Amino acid sequence: MTVFKAERGVRGGIQRAALSALLALGLFAAAVPAAAQDDYEDEGDFYITDAENVTDDGLQEVLEGLEEDEFLEGIVEGLNDSLNLPVDISINFKQCGEENAYYSPDETAITVCLELFTEPREKLAAFYDNDEDTDAAIRGYALAIIYHEVGHAVVNVMEIPITGREEDAVDQFAVWWLSDNDEGDLAVIDAALGFYEDPDGDARTGSDEDSLADEHSLSQQRYYNFLCWVYGSDTSAHADLLEEEWLTAARAERCEAEFEQLNTSWYVLMEGRLKS
C-alpha cells in the first residue's frame, strides 16, 4: 500500500462551493428515491431541541454559525420529507468535551457534539489547500456521522432487522443515503478522510484488546469501507481514488458488488418506510 501524504492530499478538480452551500442546508435527502408503496403510517417527525451546555466561547461561535446556516433544519426537513416515522426523534447540539455524536434509544434522541466540527480540523486540513475547503470538509464529515446516528435511530424505532454489527450497518446507511450525487459523494469521502490513521503515527492498530473488542470497526477499516462504497457507487466518477492509491486495488475489485449489495439491502429494509 502506498500511503498518501498531506502534500498530495488535494483532490484535483473538486468544486466545493456547491457542497458548502448544500451542507449548510443538509439537502441530500431529495436524492433518495421513493419506495413503491407506503405501508407504514407517518406518525412521527425529527425535531430540533435547544443546544446544551455550551460554555466554551469557540464552540458557541461554531454553534451560531451552524444555526445561522440552518444546518440541522435542512437535515430534519429532508428526513421528514422522506421517512414514515412511527415516533418523534429529537436532535440537538451539545458541548460534550469530546468529538462524538450518539443516539439514545431510551430518549429517542440524537446528540451531535459541537466538537465534531472542531476536533477533525487538523486532520482534514492536511488534505485541502485552503480554509474554505477545510470548513466544507468538516461539515461533510459531520454530516456523514449524523446520518450514521440517524441510521441507529431508524433501526431502533422502525425495528429493522440487522445481522452482523449494527455499527457497520449504519455506516452503510449513511453512505446509502448520501452517495447519489457529487455533493453527497464528497461528504462520504470527507468522512473517510476523517477516519484515516497514518500507519506511521499513533493509529489504532487493533493490536490492543480494547480496540479489538470495540463494537465499531477500526478507524482505518472504516476509512477503506467508506472509500470502497463510494467508489463502487460509480467507479468511473471515482477512478481517482484507485489511481491515487487512496484505495487498494484488491479491495477495489469488490467495491461495485459491495455497493450494489448494500444499496439493494437498504431499499428492501426500507420498503414502505420511504414516502412516495
Side-chain angles (χ1 to χ4, degrees):
M1 169 188 172
T2 300
V3 179
F4 56 86
K5 301 298 182 182
E7 62 266 24
R8 60 185 290 259
V10 180
R11 292 169 53 79
I14 284 181
Q15 300 295 318
R16 304 201 60 96
L19 173 61
S20 182
L22 286 171
L23 286 176
L25 297 174
L27 298 180
F28 286 112
V32 181
Q37 56 186 356
D38 290 341
D39 292 339
Y40 294 83
E41 294 294 330
D42 184 23
E43 298 178 334
D45 285 302
F46 284 88
Y47 68 98
I48 301 167
T49 59
D50 292 339
E52 297 180 42
N53 305 334
V54 186
T55 59
D56 181 87
D57 290 342
L59 293 179
Q60 179 62 41
E61 185 176 348
V62 169
L63 175 63
E64 290 171 0
L66 292 166
E67 290 179 338
E68 182 178 351
D69 292 338
E70 297 185 333
F71 185 82
L72 285 185
E73 283 81 356
I75 293 172
V76 164
E77 181 181 353
L79 289 167
N80 289 337
D81 285 346
S82 301
L83 294 174
N84 293 320
L85 287 177
V87 297
D88 290 335
I89 301 171
S90 69
I91 182 169
N92 75 323
F93 289 121
K94 182 179 180 179
Q95 179 178 326
C96 303
E98 62 177 354
E99 175 191 339
N100 199 8
Y102 53 91
Y103 170 69
S104 171
D106 292 337
E107 300 175 358
T108 58
I110 295 171
T111 298
V112 181
C113 300
L114 288 165
E115 291 87 349
L116 195 65
F117 298 86
T118 58
E119 296 298 321
R121 172 167 293 278
E122 182 176 356
K123 177 183 286 188
L124 289 170
F127 303 106
Y128 297 102
D129 60 354
N130 58 67
D131 289 341
E132 182 179 0
D133 285 356
T134 300
D135 288 342
I138 290 170
R139 289 198 175 194
Y141 167 72
L143 193 72
I145 299 302
I146 290 169
Y147 278 117
H148 170 99
E149 298 306 327
V150 169
H152 281 303
V154 164
V155 167
N156 173 232
V157 302
M158 294 182 176
E159 299 181 338
I160 291 176
I162 295 296
T163 62
R165 295 195 296 192
E166 185 175 318
E167 294 295 342
D168 293 335
V170 297
D171 271 354
Q172 292 183 339
F173 176 91
V175 174
W176 173 71
W177 194 275
L178 290 169
S179 60
D180 194 68
N181 54 59
D182 291 344
E183 291 77 23
D185 288 357
L186 279 174
V188 175
I189 292 168
D190 287 328
L193 296 179
F195 292 129
Y196 179 76
E197 298 285 359
D198 186 348
D200 296 327
D202 296 326
R204 290 173 62 214
T205 63
S207 59
D208 63 284
E209 189 170 294
D210 286 342
S211 294
L212 291 171
D214 194 79
E215 67 271 22
H216 298 85
S217 294
L218 296 170
S219 294
Q220 194 71 347
Q221 290 176 308
R222 297 178 81 183
Y223 160 81
Y224 282 116
N225 284 341
F226 273 65
L227 288 187
C228 177
W229 298 331
V230 74
Y231 172 74
S233 72
D234 190 335
T235 55
S236 297
H238 300 297
D240 56 334
L241 295 175
L242 182 58
E243 293 165 359
E244 296 176 10
E245 298 182 313
W246 288 26
L247 185 63
T248 67
R251 180 65 183 275
E253 291 180 1
R254 304 189 296 274
C255 293
E256 194 167 8
E258 285 190 37
F259 179 79
E260 181 60 29
Q261 183 183 51
L262 79 85
N263 190 44
T264 301
S265 296
W266 273 106
Y267 275 121
V268 169
L269 291 170
M270 297 296 288
E271 184 177 1
R273 294 175 167 95
L274 296 174
K275 293 178 180 177
S276 299

Short mmCIF file of all heavy atoms in Angstrom, two decimals, residues 26-34 46 74-85 143-144 146-148 150-151 154 158 160 169-181 183-185 187-188 226 229 233 259 262-263 266-267 270 273-275:
data_model
loop_
_atom_site.label_atom_id
_atom_site.label_comp_id
_atom_site.label_asym_id
_atom_site.label_seq_id
_atom_site.Cartn_x
_atom_site.Cartn_y
_atom_site.Cartn_z
N GLY A 26 -28.24 20.89 4.50
CA GLY A 26 -28.47 19.47 4.69
C GLY A 26 -29.33 18.86 3.61
O GLY A 26 -30.02 17.87 3.85
N LEU A 27 -29.32 19.41 2.40
CA LEU A 27 -30.27 18.98 1.38
C LEU A 27 -29.72 17.84 0.55
O LEU A 27 -29.37 17.99 -0.61
CB LEU A 27 -30.62 20.17 0.46
CG LEU A 27 -31.30 21.33 1.19
CD1 LEU A 27 -31.61 22.44 0.20
CD2 LEU A 27 -32.59 20.86 1.84
N PHE A 28 -29.67 16.66 1.14
CA PHE A 28 -29.27 15.47 0.41
C PHE A 28 -30.43 14.48 0.30
O PHE A 28 -30.41 13.62 -0.56
CB PHE A 28 -28.10 14.77 1.10
CG PHE A 28 -26.81 15.51 0.92
CD1 PHE A 28 -26.20 16.12 2.00
CD2 PHE A 28 -26.22 15.61 -0.32
CE1 PHE A 28 -25.02 16.80 1.84
CE2 PHE A 28 -25.03 16.30 -0.49
CZ PHE A 28 -24.43 16.89 0.59
N ALA A 29 -31.40 14.56 1.15
CA ALA A 29 -32.45 13.55 1.18
C ALA A 29 -33.26 13.52 -0.10
O ALA A 29 -33.84 12.50 -0.45
CB ALA A 29 -33.38 13.77 2.37
N ALA A 30 -33.29 14.64 -0.83
CA ALA A 30 -34.05 14.66 -2.07
C ALA A 30 -33.52 13.67 -3.08
O ALA A 30 -34.22 13.29 -4.02
CB ALA A 30 -34.02 16.07 -2.67
N ALA A 31 -32.28 13.23 -2.91
CA ALA A 31 -31.69 12.29 -3.84
C ALA A 31 -32.16 10.86 -3.61
O ALA A 31 -31.91 9.98 -4.42
CB ALA A 31 -30.17 12.34 -3.74
N VAL A 32 -32.83 10.60 -2.50
CA VAL A 32 -33.25 9.24 -2.16
C VAL A 32 -34.55 8.91 -2.88
O VAL A 32 -35.57 9.56 -2.66
CB VAL A 32 -33.46 9.09 -0.64
CG1 VAL A 32 -33.88 7.67 -0.29
CG2 VAL A 32 -32.18 9.46 0.09
N PRO A 33 -34.56 7.91 -3.77
CA PRO A 33 -35.79 7.56 -4.49
C PRO A 33 -36.88 7.07 -3.54
O PRO A 33 -36.62 6.54 -2.47
CB PRO A 33 -35.34 6.43 -5.43
CG PRO A 33 -33.86 6.57 -5.52
CD PRO A 33 -33.42 7.11 -4.19
N ALA A 34 -38.12 7.23 -3.97
CA ALA A 34 -39.24 6.83 -3.14
C ALA A 34 -39.48 5.34 -3.23
O ALA A 34 -39.14 4.69 -4.20
CB ALA A 34 -40.50 7.58 -3.58
N PHE A 46 -38.68 14.02 12.94
CA PHE A 46 -37.47 14.54 13.55
C PHE A 46 -37.74 15.99 13.94
O PHE A 46 -38.42 16.73 13.21
CB PHE A 46 -36.30 14.48 12.57
CG PHE A 46 -35.72 13.11 12.39
CD1 PHE A 46 -36.23 12.25 11.43
CD2 PHE A 46 -34.66 12.68 13.18
CE1 PHE A 46 -35.71 10.97 11.26
CE2 PHE A 46 -34.12 11.41 13.01
CZ PHE A 46 -34.65 10.55 12.05
N GLY A 74 -32.08 21.87 7.79
CA GLY A 74 -32.08 21.25 6.47
C GLY A 74 -32.10 19.74 6.54
O GLY A 74 -32.80 19.08 5.77
N ILE A 75 -31.32 19.18 7.49
CA ILE A 75 -31.29 17.73 7.67
C ILE A 75 -32.66 17.22 8.10
O ILE A 75 -33.20 16.25 7.54
CB ILE A 75 -30.22 17.34 8.70
CG1 ILE A 75 -28.82 17.64 8.16
CG2 ILE A 75 -30.34 15.86 9.08
CD1 ILE A 75 -27.71 17.48 9.18
N VAL A 76 -33.25 17.88 9.09
CA VAL A 76 -34.54 17.47 9.61
C VAL A 76 -35.63 17.57 8.54
O VAL A 76 -36.47 16.68 8.39
CB VAL A 76 -34.89 18.31 10.85
CG1 VAL A 76 -36.37 18.21 11.20
CG2 VAL A 76 -34.04 17.87 12.03
N GLU A 77 -35.61 18.65 7.79
CA GLU A 77 -36.61 18.82 6.74
C GLU A 77 -36.51 17.70 5.71
O GLU A 77 -37.53 17.12 5.28
CB GLU A 77 -36.44 20.18 6.05
CG GLU A 77 -37.46 20.44 4.96
CD GLU A 77 -37.25 21.78 4.27
OE1 GLU A 77 -36.40 22.56 4.73
OE2 GLU A 77 -37.95 22.03 3.27
N GLY A 78 -35.29 17.38 5.30
CA GLY A 78 -35.11 16.32 4.32
C GLY A 78 -35.55 14.97 4.83
O GLY A 78 -36.19 14.19 4.11
N LEU A 79 -35.23 14.67 6.09
CA LEU A 79 -35.64 13.39 6.68
C LEU A 79 -37.15 13.29 6.81
O LEU A 79 -37.76 12.26 6.49
CB LEU A 79 -34.98 13.21 8.05
CG LEU A 79 -33.47 12.96 8.04
CD1 LEU A 79 -32.89 13.11 9.45
CD2 LEU A 79 -33.14 11.58 7.48
N ASN A 80 -37.79 14.35 7.26
CA ASN A 80 -39.24 14.32 7.44
C ASN A 80 -39.98 14.25 6.10
O ASN A 80 -41.08 13.70 6.02
CB ASN A 80 -39.71 15.53 8.24
CG ASN A 80 -39.30 15.45 9.69
OD1 ASN A 80 -39.06 14.37 10.23
ND2 ASN A 80 -39.21 16.60 10.35
N ASP A 81 -39.37 14.81 5.06
CA ASP A 81 -39.96 14.72 3.73
C ASP A 81 -39.81 13.32 3.13
O ASP A 81 -40.49 12.97 2.17
CB ASP A 81 -39.31 15.72 2.78
CG ASP A 81 -39.77 17.15 3.03
OD1 ASP A 81 -40.77 17.33 3.76
OD2 ASP A 81 -39.12 18.08 2.52
N SER A 82 -38.91 12.51 3.71
CA SER A 82 -38.56 11.22 3.09
C SER A 82 -39.02 10.00 3.86
O SER A 82 -39.20 8.93 3.27
CB SER A 82 -37.03 11.14 2.93
OG SER A 82 -36.55 12.20 2.13
N LEU A 83 -39.19 10.11 5.19
CA LEU A 83 -39.40 8.94 6.02
C LEU A 83 -40.77 8.91 6.68
O LEU A 83 -41.27 9.95 7.14
CB LEU A 83 -38.33 8.87 7.12
CG LEU A 83 -36.89 8.65 6.67
CD1 LEU A 83 -35.96 8.77 7.88
CD2 LEU A 83 -36.73 7.30 6.00
N ASN A 84 -41.37 7.73 6.75
CA ASN A 84 -42.55 7.49 7.57
C ASN A 84 -42.08 7.01 8.94
O ASN A 84 -41.69 5.85 9.09
CB ASN A 84 -43.44 6.42 6.92
CG ASN A 84 -44.04 6.87 5.62
OD1 ASN A 84 -44.46 8.01 5.49
ND2 ASN A 84 -44.10 5.98 4.65
N LEU A 85 -42.12 7.88 9.92
CA LEU A 85 -41.64 7.54 11.26
C LEU A 85 -42.79 7.15 12.16
O LEU A 85 -43.84 7.81 12.16
CB LEU A 85 -40.91 8.73 11.88
CG LEU A 85 -39.52 9.08 11.34
CD1 LEU A 85 -39.01 10.33 12.05
CD2 LEU A 85 -38.54 7.94 11.52
N LEU A 143 -21.68 15.62 8.61
CA LEU A 143 -22.95 15.19 8.03
C LEU A 143 -23.03 13.68 7.94
O LEU A 143 -24.06 13.08 8.27
CB LEU A 143 -23.12 15.81 6.65
CG LEU A 143 -24.51 15.72 6.04
CD1 LEU A 143 -25.48 16.66 6.75
CD2 LEU A 143 -24.49 16.03 4.56
N ALA A 144 -21.95 13.04 7.50
CA ALA A 144 -21.94 11.57 7.40
C ALA A 144 -22.09 10.94 8.78
O ALA A 144 -22.79 9.93 8.94
CB ALA A 144 -20.65 11.10 6.72
N ILE A 146 -23.62 12.26 11.35
CA ILE A 146 -25.00 12.48 11.78
C ILE A 146 -25.92 11.45 11.13
O ILE A 146 -26.79 10.86 11.80
CB ILE A 146 -25.45 13.91 11.45
CG1 ILE A 146 -24.71 14.91 12.35
CG2 ILE A 146 -26.96 14.06 11.62
CD1 ILE A 146 -24.88 16.37 11.94
N TYR A 147 -25.72 11.18 9.84
CA TYR A 147 -26.57 10.17 9.18
C TYR A 147 -26.27 8.77 9.69
O TYR A 147 -27.15 7.90 9.66
CB TYR A 147 -26.43 10.26 7.67
CG TYR A 147 -27.29 11.36 7.08
CD1 TYR A 147 -26.72 12.44 6.42
CD2 TYR A 147 -28.67 11.31 7.19
CE1 TYR A 147 -27.50 13.45 5.90
CE2 TYR A 147 -29.47 12.32 6.67
CZ TYR A 147 -28.88 13.39 6.02
OH TYR A 147 -29.66 14.40 5.51
N HIS A 148 -25.07 8.52 10.17
CA HIS A 148 -24.78 7.26 10.86
C HIS A 148 -25.68 7.14 12.09
O HIS A 148 -26.28 6.08 12.33
CB HIS A 148 -23.29 7.25 11.27
CG HIS A 148 -22.90 6.14 12.18
ND1 HIS A 148 -22.30 4.98 11.74
CD2 HIS A 148 -23.00 6.01 13.54
CE1 HIS A 148 -22.06 4.18 12.77
NE2 HIS A 148 -22.47 4.78 13.87
N VAL A 150 -28.51 8.78 12.54
CA VAL A 150 -29.87 8.63 12.03
C VAL A 150 -30.15 7.16 11.72
O VAL A 150 -31.24 6.65 11.97
CB VAL A 150 -30.08 9.50 10.77
CG1 VAL A 150 -31.39 9.15 10.07
CG2 VAL A 150 -30.06 10.99 11.14
N GLY A 151 -29.14 6.49 11.18
CA GLY A 151 -29.28 5.06 10.92
C GLY A 151 -29.60 4.28 12.18
O GLY A 151 -30.48 3.40 12.19
N VAL A 154 -33.23 5.03 13.06
CA VAL A 154 -34.15 4.35 12.14
C VAL A 154 -34.25 2.86 12.48
O VAL A 154 -35.34 2.29 12.54
CB VAL A 154 -33.70 4.57 10.68
CG1 VAL A 154 -34.38 3.59 9.74
CG2 VAL A 154 -33.99 6.01 10.25
N MET A 158 -37.95 1.84 13.90
CA MET A 158 -38.64 1.07 12.86
C MET A 158 -38.46 -0.43 13.04
O MET A 158 -38.98 -1.21 12.25
CB MET A 158 -38.16 1.50 11.48
CG MET A 158 -38.52 2.92 11.11
SD MET A 158 -37.97 3.33 9.43
CE MET A 158 -38.62 4.99 9.26
N ILE A 160 -35.96 -2.41 12.50
CA ILE A 160 -35.39 -3.01 11.30
C ILE A 160 -34.43 -4.12 11.70
O ILE A 160 -33.53 -3.90 12.52
CB ILE A 160 -34.67 -1.94 10.45
CG1 ILE A 160 -35.72 -0.97 9.87
CG2 ILE A 160 -33.85 -2.57 9.34
CD1 ILE A 160 -35.14 0.17 9.10
N ALA A 169 -23.61 -1.66 9.79
CA ALA A 169 -24.84 -1.50 9.01
C ALA A 169 -25.22 -0.03 8.87
O ALA A 169 -25.64 0.42 7.79
CB ALA A 169 -25.97 -2.28 9.65
N VAL A 170 -25.08 0.75 9.95
CA VAL A 170 -25.48 2.15 9.85
C VAL A 170 -24.41 3.01 9.18
O VAL A 170 -24.72 4.09 8.68
CB VAL A 170 -25.92 2.72 11.22
CG1 VAL A 170 -27.14 1.97 11.73
CG2 VAL A 170 -24.80 2.70 12.23
N ASP A 171 -23.17 2.55 9.15
CA ASP A 171 -22.19 3.17 8.25
C ASP A 171 -22.68 3.04 6.82
O ASP A 171 -22.62 3.98 6.02
CB ASP A 171 -20.82 2.51 8.39
CG ASP A 171 -19.95 3.13 9.47
OD1 ASP A 171 -20.35 4.16 10.05
OD2 ASP A 171 -18.86 2.58 9.72
N GLN A 172 -23.18 1.85 6.48
CA GLN A 172 -23.71 1.63 5.14
C GLN A 172 -24.96 2.49 4.90
O GLN A 172 -25.14 3.02 3.79
CB GLN A 172 -24.03 0.16 4.94
CG GLN A 172 -22.80 -0.74 4.91
CD GLN A 172 -23.15 -2.18 4.65
OE1 GLN A 172 -24.29 -2.62 4.85
NE2 GLN A 172 -22.17 -2.95 4.18
N PHE A 173 -25.80 2.64 5.91
CA PHE A 173 -26.98 3.50 5.78
C PHE A 173 -26.56 4.92 5.42
O PHE A 173 -27.15 5.55 4.53
CB PHE A 173 -27.77 3.51 7.09
CG PHE A 173 -28.95 4.45 7.08
CD1 PHE A 173 -30.20 4.02 6.68
CD2 PHE A 173 -28.80 5.78 7.49
CE1 PHE A 173 -31.30 4.89 6.67
CE2 PHE A 173 -29.87 6.66 7.48
CZ PHE A 173 -31.13 6.21 7.07
N ALA A 174 -25.55 5.45 6.10
CA ALA A 174 -25.09 6.82 5.84
C ALA A 174 -24.61 6.96 4.40
O ALA A 174 -24.93 7.94 3.72
CB ALA A 174 -23.99 7.21 6.83
N VAL A 175 -23.83 5.99 3.94
CA VAL A 175 -23.33 6.04 2.56
C VAL A 175 -24.49 5.89 1.58
O VAL A 175 -24.58 6.60 0.57
CB VAL A 175 -22.27 4.95 2.32
CG1 VAL A 175 -21.86 4.89 0.85
CG2 VAL A 175 -21.05 5.19 3.21
N TRP A 176 -25.41 4.97 1.87
CA TRP A 176 -26.59 4.77 1.01
C TRP A 176 -27.39 6.05 0.88
O TRP A 176 -27.85 6.41 -0.21
CB TRP A 176 -27.44 3.65 1.62
CG TRP A 176 -28.76 3.43 0.95
CD1 TRP A 176 -28.98 2.89 -0.30
CD2 TRP A 176 -30.06 3.72 1.48
NE1 TRP A 176 -30.32 2.83 -0.55
CE2 TRP A 176 -31.02 3.33 0.52
CE3 TRP A 176 -30.49 4.26 2.70
CZ2 TRP A 176 -32.39 3.47 0.73
CZ3 TRP A 176 -31.86 4.39 2.91
CH2 TRP A 176 -32.79 4.01 1.92
N TRP A 177 -27.58 6.75 1.98
CA TRP A 177 -28.38 7.97 1.97
C TRP A 177 -27.70 9.09 1.19
O TRP A 177 -28.36 9.87 0.49
CB TRP A 177 -28.65 8.42 3.40
CG TRP A 177 -29.74 9.45 3.48
CD1 TRP A 177 -29.62 10.80 3.33
CD2 TRP A 177 -31.13 9.20 3.74
NE1 TRP A 177 -30.85 11.41 3.48
CE2 TRP A 177 -31.79 10.44 3.73
CE3 TRP A 177 -31.86 8.04 3.99
CZ2 TRP A 177 -33.16 10.56 3.96
CZ3 TRP A 177 -33.23 8.17 4.22
CH2 TRP A 177 -33.86 9.41 4.20
N LEU A 178 -26.37 9.17 1.30
CA LEU A 178 -25.65 10.31 0.74
C LEU A 178 -25.16 10.12 -0.69
O LEU A 178 -25.13 11.07 -1.47
CB LEU A 178 -24.45 10.65 1.63
CG LEU A 178 -24.76 11.26 2.99
CD1 LEU A 178 -23.50 11.29 3.85
CD2 LEU A 178 -25.32 12.67 2.82
N SER A 179 -24.75 8.90 -1.04
CA SER A 179 -24.00 8.74 -2.29
C SER A 179 -24.91 8.58 -3.49
O SER A 179 -25.07 7.50 -4.04
CB SER A 179 -23.06 7.53 -2.18
OG SER A 179 -23.78 6.34 -1.95
N ASP A 180 -25.52 9.68 -3.89
CA ASP A 180 -26.35 9.68 -5.09
C ASP A 180 -26.07 10.89 -5.96
O ASP A 180 -26.66 11.05 -7.02
CB ASP A 180 -27.83 9.65 -4.70
CG ASP A 180 -28.73 9.29 -5.86
OD1 ASP A 180 -28.66 8.14 -6.32
OD2 ASP A 180 -29.49 10.17 -6.31
N ASN A 181 -25.17 11.75 -5.52
CA ASN A 181 -24.80 12.94 -6.30
C ASN A 181 -23.40 13.37 -5.89
O ASN A 181 -22.83 12.85 -4.92
CB ASN A 181 -25.82 14.07 -6.07
CG ASN A 181 -26.00 14.39 -4.60
OD1 ASN A 181 -25.05 14.76 -3.91
ND2 ASN A 181 -27.23 14.24 -4.10
N GLU A 183 -22.21 16.04 -4.49
CA GLU A 183 -22.06 16.66 -3.18
C GLU A 183 -22.12 15.61 -2.07
O GLU A 183 -21.34 15.65 -1.11
CB GLU A 183 -23.15 17.72 -2.98
CG GLU A 183 -23.02 18.94 -3.87
CD GLU A 183 -23.46 18.69 -5.30
OE1 GLU A 183 -24.25 17.75 -5.53
OE2 GLU A 183 -23.01 19.43 -6.20
N GLY A 184 -23.04 14.67 -2.20
CA GLY A 184 -23.12 13.61 -1.21
C GLY A 184 -21.90 12.72 -1.22
O GLY A 184 -21.40 12.30 -0.17
N ASP A 185 -21.40 12.43 -2.44
CA ASP A 185 -20.18 11.63 -2.55
C ASP A 185 -19.01 12.30 -1.84
O ASP A 185 -18.20 11.63 -1.18
CB ASP A 185 -19.81 11.42 -4.03
CG ASP A 185 -20.76 10.45 -4.73
OD1 ASP A 185 -21.66 9.90 -4.07
OD2 ASP A 185 -20.58 10.24 -5.94
N ALA A 187 -19.18 14.24 0.75
CA ALA A 187 -19.36 14.07 2.20
C ALA A 187 -18.87 12.70 2.64
O ALA A 187 -18.25 12.56 3.70
CB ALA A 187 -20.83 14.26 2.56
N VAL A 188 -19.14 11.66 1.83
CA VAL A 188 -18.67 10.31 2.17
C VAL A 188 -17.14 10.26 2.14
O VAL A 188 -16.51 9.67 3.02
CB VAL A 188 -19.26 9.28 1.18
CG1 VAL A 188 -18.67 7.90 1.44
CG2 VAL A 188 -20.78 9.23 1.31
N PHE A 226 -15.69 3.28 3.61
CA PHE A 226 -16.36 4.44 3.02
C PHE A 226 -15.84 4.71 1.61
O PHE A 226 -16.63 4.99 0.70
CB PHE A 226 -16.17 5.67 3.92
CG PHE A 226 -17.21 5.79 5.00
CD1 PHE A 226 -17.31 4.85 6.02
CD2 PHE A 226 -18.10 6.85 5.01
CE1 PHE A 226 -18.27 4.95 7.01
CE2 PHE A 226 -19.07 6.97 6.00
CZ PHE A 226 -19.15 6.01 7.01
N TRP A 229 -17.17 1.95 -0.81
CA TRP A 229 -18.59 2.03 -1.17
C TRP A 229 -18.87 3.20 -2.09
O TRP A 229 -19.67 3.08 -3.01
CB TRP A 229 -19.43 2.10 0.09
CG TRP A 229 -19.29 0.86 0.94
CD1 TRP A 229 -19.00 -0.41 0.51
CD2 TRP A 229 -19.41 0.78 2.37
NE1 TRP A 229 -18.93 -1.28 1.57
CE2 TRP A 229 -19.17 -0.58 2.72
CE3 TRP A 229 -19.67 1.69 3.38
CZ2 TRP A 229 -19.21 -1.03 4.05
CZ3 TRP A 229 -19.71 1.26 4.70
CH2 TRP A 229 -19.49 -0.09 5.03
N SER A 233 -20.13 2.90 -5.99
CA SER A 233 -21.36 3.53 -6.46
C SER A 233 -21.22 4.10 -7.85
O SER A 233 -22.21 4.23 -8.58
CB SER A 233 -21.81 4.62 -5.48
OG SER A 233 -20.96 5.77 -5.57
N PHE A 259 -21.24 -2.24 -3.01
CA PHE A 259 -22.21 -1.14 -3.00
C PHE A 259 -23.56 -1.63 -3.48
O PHE A 259 -24.60 -1.25 -2.93
CB PHE A 259 -21.75 0.03 -3.85
CG PHE A 259 -22.75 1.15 -3.87
CD1 PHE A 259 -22.83 2.03 -2.80
CD2 PHE A 259 -23.65 1.29 -4.92
CE1 PHE A 259 -23.79 3.04 -2.78
CE2 PHE A 259 -24.61 2.29 -4.91
CZ PHE A 259 -24.68 3.17 -3.84
N LEU A 262 -25.27 -3.39 -0.57
CA LEU A 262 -25.79 -2.52 0.48
C LEU A 262 -26.95 -1.67 -0.03
O LEU A 262 -27.92 -1.41 0.69
CB LEU A 262 -24.68 -1.67 1.09
CG LEU A 262 -24.18 -0.41 0.37
CD1 LEU A 262 -25.04 0.80 0.69
CD2 LEU A 262 -22.74 -0.11 0.77
N ASN A 263 -26.86 -1.24 -1.28
CA ASN A 263 -27.92 -0.43 -1.87
C ASN A 263 -29.22 -1.22 -1.95
O ASN A 263 -30.28 -0.77 -1.52
CB ASN A 263 -27.48 0.03 -3.27
CG ASN A 263 -28.41 1.07 -3.86
OD1 ASN A 263 -28.82 2.01 -3.19
ND2 ASN A 263 -28.74 0.90 -5.14
N TRP A 266 -30.66 -2.01 1.70
CA TRP A 266 -31.34 -0.93 2.41
C TRP A 266 -32.66 -0.56 1.75
O TRP A 266 -33.61 -0.18 2.44
CB TRP A 266 -30.42 0.29 2.55
CG TRP A 266 -29.58 0.16 3.79
CD1 TRP A 266 -28.26 -0.15 3.88
CD2 TRP A 266 -30.06 0.27 5.13
NE1 TRP A 266 -27.87 -0.24 5.20
CE2 TRP A 266 -28.95 0.02 5.99
CE3 TRP A 266 -31.29 0.55 5.70
CZ2 TRP A 266 -29.06 0.06 7.37
CZ3 TRP A 266 -31.41 0.58 7.10
CH2 TRP A 266 -30.30 0.33 7.90
N TYR A 267 -32.77 -0.70 0.43
CA TYR A 267 -34.07 -0.47 -0.19
C TYR A 267 -35.08 -1.53 0.24
O TYR A 267 -36.25 -1.22 0.47
CB TYR A 267 -33.94 -0.44 -1.71
CG TYR A 267 -33.56 0.93 -2.24
CD1 TYR A 267 -32.40 1.11 -2.99
CD2 TYR A 267 -34.35 2.04 -1.96
CE1 TYR A 267 -32.04 2.36 -3.46
CE2 TYR A 267 -34.00 3.31 -2.42
CZ TYR A 267 -32.85 3.46 -3.17
OH TYR A 267 -32.49 4.70 -3.61
N MET A 270 -36.08 -0.75 3.83
CA MET A 270 -36.85 0.49 3.97
C MET A 270 -38.13 0.49 3.15
O MET A 270 -38.82 1.51 3.09
CB MET A 270 -35.97 1.68 3.56
CG MET A 270 -34.76 1.89 4.45
SD MET A 270 -35.18 2.30 6.17
CE MET A 270 -35.79 3.97 5.95
N ARG A 273 -41.27 2.33 4.12
CA ARG A 273 -40.89 3.29 5.14
C ARG A 273 -40.45 4.63 4.52
O ARG A 273 -40.19 5.59 5.24
CB ARG A 273 -39.78 2.72 6.02
CG ARG A 273 -40.22 1.51 6.85
CD ARG A 273 -39.05 0.91 7.60
NE ARG A 273 -39.46 -0.05 8.62
CZ ARG A 273 -39.52 -1.36 8.44
NH1 ARG A 273 -39.19 -1.88 7.26
NH2 ARG A 273 -39.90 -2.17 9.42
N LEU A 274 -40.30 4.63 3.20
CA LEU A 274 -39.96 5.86 2.48
C LEU A 274 -41.21 6.44 1.84
O LEU A 274 -42.01 5.71 1.26
CB LEU A 274 -38.92 5.57 1.38
CG LEU A 274 -37.55 5.07 1.84
CD1 LEU A 274 -36.71 4.70 0.64
CD2 LEU A 274 -36.84 6.13 2.69
N LYS A 275 -41.37 7.74 1.93
CA LYS A 275 -42.55 8.38 1.37
C LYS A 275 -42.48 8.40 -0.15
O LYS A 275 -41.43 8.59 -0.73
CB LYS A 275 -42.68 9.81 1.91
CG LYS A 275 -42.97 9.87 3.39
CD LYS A 275 -43.05 11.30 3.89
CE LYS A 275 -43.34 11.33 5.38
NZ LYS A 275 -43.36 12.71 5.91
#
